[in-house]
């Protein structure tokens, strides 16, 4: 299974052109280290293709670097397979993020609409149109303005979407379209 390894990194020793870079992940550490030029080539290559950075003989575990993230696998994947799996994972994450953003924007739009008061001229028009009575039971007591299509379902504060209902009829209707 291919897993992201948050503990993996390259530890730098030495200064400037004499720097050496050794792979480390938890208790696992590479015996050999890369010089600065080899490390720079590895960093450039891993932007396009996963690069095998270490293979532990004892557990058949291998570490890959791809787009500045470390991954380990114990299934013996090659670079092409690792790239396919990681791109599929990134694609799934991007779709999930796009859906979440769309839902958030939709919720914000509904909340925005819910905060808008019904304009007085619309209230007056609906009151006169419905005769100052509940459109369901004709009661003249405890009257309220009701959204035919609730704000939560995308309805607005227009005269076409409003009606006069008494409080009991409005509670029975709730946030439905009935």
């Amino acid at each position: 299974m291919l897993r992201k390894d948050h503990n993996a990194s390259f530890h730098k020793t030495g200064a400037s052109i004499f720097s050496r870079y050794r792979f480390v992940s938890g208790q696992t550490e590479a015996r050999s280290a890369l010089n600065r030029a080899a490390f720079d080539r590895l960093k450039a290559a891993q932007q396009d293709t996963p690069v095998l950075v270490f293979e532990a003989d004892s557990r058949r575990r291998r570490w890959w670097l791809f787009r500045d993230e470390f991954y380990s696998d114990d299934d013996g994947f090659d670079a092409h397979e690792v790239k396919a799996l990681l791109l599929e994972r990134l694609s799934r994450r991007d779709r999930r993020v796009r859906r979440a953003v769309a839902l958030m924007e939709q919720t914000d739009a509904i909340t925005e609409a819910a905060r808008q008061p019904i304009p007085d001229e619309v209230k007056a028009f609906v009151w006169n149109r419905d005769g100052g009575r509940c459109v369901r039971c004709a009661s003249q007591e405890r009257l309220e303005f009701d959204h035919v299509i609730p704000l939560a379902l995308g309805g607005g504060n227009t005269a076409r979407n409003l009606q006069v209902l008494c409080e009991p009829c409005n509670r029975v209707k709730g946030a439905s379209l009935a």
Side-chain angles (χ1 to χ4, degrees), residues 10-25:
F10 279 101
H11 286 227
K12 179 181 174 184
T13 57
S16 83
I17 62 171
F18 300 109
S19 297
R20 304 289 288 172
Y21 299 85
R22 184 181 312 274
F23 173 78
V24 176
S25 177

Side-chain angles (χ1 to χ4, degrees), residues 77-137:
F77 295 126
D78 65 23
H80 186 71
E81 293 166 329
V82 169
K83 183 175 183 177
L85 289 169
L86 293 176
L87 291 178
E88 187 266 339
R89 187 181 293 176
L90 291 171
S91 176
R92 230 179 325 147
R93 185 188 71 192
D94 289 346
R95 281 194 309 271
R96 192 171 62 239
V97 168
R98 282 195 305 273
R99 277 194 310 265
V101 167
L103 180 61
M104 177 185 69
E105 289 171 351
Q106 180 183 11
T107 302
D108 289 348
I110 290 169
T111 302
E112 178 89 10
R115 291 185 190 141
Q116 300 297 320
I118 300 170
D120 289 338
E121 60 273 8
V122 173
K123 284 182 180 179
F125 176 83
V126 171
W127 183 266
N128 289 329
R129 181 195 68 201
D130 294 348
R133 297 178 178 272
C134 174
V135 297
R136 287 196 172 184
C137 71

Side-chain angles (χ1 to χ4, degrees), residues 5 7-8 22 31 36 47 68 73 115 119 148 154 161 165:
D5 188 342
N7 298 318
R22 184 181 312 274
R31 289 187 200 114
R36 177 65 188 223
Q47 292 299 322
D68 298 321
D73 91 88
R115 291 185 190 141
V148 176
N161 192 45
L165 291 179

Side-chain angles (χ1 to χ4, degrees), residues 10 20-21 33-53 65 68:
F10 279 101
R20 304 289 288 172
Y21 299 85
L34 301 172
N35 65 27
R36 177 65 188 223
F39 180 73
D40 289 343
R41 283 192 303 273
L42 179 139
K43 290 293 279 180
Q46 60 90 33
Q47 292 299 322
D48 296 320
T49 302
V51 175
L52 181 62
V53 294
L65 182 61
D68 298 321

Side-chain angles (χ1 to χ4, degrees), residues 1 55 60-62 64 73-79 81-82:
M1 171 162 282
E55 190 165 2
R60 285 194 50 224
R61 195 160 183 200
R62 299 159 17 129
W64 299 86
D73 91 88
D74 50 10
D75 291 328
F77 295 126
D78 65 23
E81 293 166 329
V82 169

